[in-house]
Amino acid sequence: MLLLLRSLAFQAVFLGFGTLLALYSLIPLARGDRAQLFAINALWARGINRLLRAIAGIHVRIEGLEQIPAGPVIIAAKHQSLWDTTIIFHLFGTPAVVMKQELLKIPIYGALCRGQGMIVVDREGGAKALKKMLADARAAAAEGRRIVIFPQGTRTRPGEPAPYQPGVAALYRDLKLPVVPAVVNSGCFWPKRGWRRPPGTIVLRFLAPIPPGLHRDDFMQALETRIETAQAELEAETRTGPVRG
């Protein structure tokens, strides 16, 4: 019963908090103030972490930030929950996130993504869409922004397999930047579907970067092997009860 009450309370406060910030974001959006939009997103991320801890008893631990090189870089991360798409604004300030075009249809959210210069990919658009994605990514990297991509292209449940999409290899080849793999266990506490928020510790773990210059197949094999191995280890740790941090 306590888990039910805490989960429902978190969901209600989370939705109210997010709605207020989304409405407030319309002001800098109308002014074209990208810096203020990113600042609001960072506030959103920090607020969510505090709500998780205070209401649901969910702590957050970030590991391996020292693995991320200075300057533009590609972050290739597992994606299990909405939390994954918020924390990056707290960590990176002005990230350029690769996102599917369908998300732009969401009221307010889609406009905010456009206002922040996110990298939109039309998965049905063929070569023309790929060229645009790469051009947008080059522009973001030239501004010194971190490029964030979820290489499987969708949220997955803990332990659920999903193929790695070719977009990450195209970015790696074209941008010639190091790729930092990352794993996360957020799906254990903020599932893909449902509202239950069991207490515990969300861990986001960055791994050693993959240097530029590998052949496409070698890169994809290295990326998938590193992520899936580290993901299995993290989920095993989570099942045994990680130390709060």
Side-chain angles (χ1 to χ4, degrees):
M1 179 59 73
L2 180 59
L3 174 59
L4 170 64
L5 293 175
R6 294 179 76 170
S7 299
L8 291 175
F10 171 79
Q11 194 69 7
V13 177
F14 163 72
L15 291 174
F17 177 58
T19 300
L20 287 175
L21 283 185
L23 293 174
Y24 178 68
S25 296
L26 294 177
I27 299 173
L29 178 65
R31 294 200 302 253
D33 188 345
R34 181 181 290 182
Q36 185 63 21
L37 289 176
F38 280 120
I40 293 172
N41 266 352
L43 173 63
W44 186 39
R46 292 192 297 271
I48 288 173
N49 286 346
R50 289 169 183 163
L51 291 173
L52 283 170
R53 183 164 186 162
I55 300 175
I58 297 174
H59 299 248
V60 169
R61 188 167 72 235
I62 310 298
E63 300 177 354
L65 282 173
E66 71 279 0
Q67 303 279 13
I68 304 175
V73 67
I74 300 169
I75 308 291
K78 271 282 190 178
H79 185 19
Q80 291 192 340
S81 80
L82 177 64
W83 182 87
D84 313 337
T85 63
T86 67
I87 190 63
I88 54 179
F89 294 98
H90 170 56
L91 297 177
F92 304 131
T94 61
V97 184
V98 179
M99 56 182 293
K100 53 190 178 183
Q101 189 178 47
E102 301 93 287
L103 295 176
L104 295 181
K105 298 177 182 178
I106 300 175
I108 300 182
Y109 178 79
L112 293 175
C113 290
R114 287 193 185 94
Q116 293 170 102
M118 297 308 174
I119 300 170
V120 179
V121 56
D122 178 3
R123 294 186 291 188
E124 306 298 327
K128 182 178 179 181
L130 178 62
K131 288 180 180 178
K132 185 178 186 312
M133 181 193 78
L134 294 176
D136 291 344
R138 286 194 295 269
E143 295 175 357
R145 300 170 66 184
R146 269 70 183 269
I147 312 297
V148 179
I149 184 170
F150 302 110
Q152 291 171 296
T154 187
R155 285 179 294 171
T156 58
R157 297 179 178 87
E160 178 184 10
Y164 283 65
Q165 303 299 319
V168 65
L171 289 173
Y172 174 77
R173 182 187 64 244
D174 189 82
L175 299 181
K176 298 177 174 57
L177 293 173
V179 173
V180 178
V183 297
V184 67
N185 66 351
S186 57
C188 298
F189 309 99
W190 191 322
K192 182 178 179 180
R193 292 185 177 87
W195 46 264
R196 291 172 63 85
R197 305 286 181 265
T201 302
I202 293 177
V203 177
L204 172 59
R205 181 175 294 165
F206 295 99
L207 311 176
I210 300 173
L214 295 182
H215 184 273
R216 180 190 185 281
D217 292 342
D218 293 335
F219 163 71
M220 289 297 288
Q221 181 177 1
L223 179 68
E224 183 169 354
T225 299
R226 290 193 193 186
I227 288 180
E228 293 304 319
T229 300
Q231 185 68 30
E233 292 173 353
L234 178 56
E235 290 181 11
E237 293 171 16
T238 303
R239 287 192 294 271
T240 61
V243 177
R244 289 181 176 180

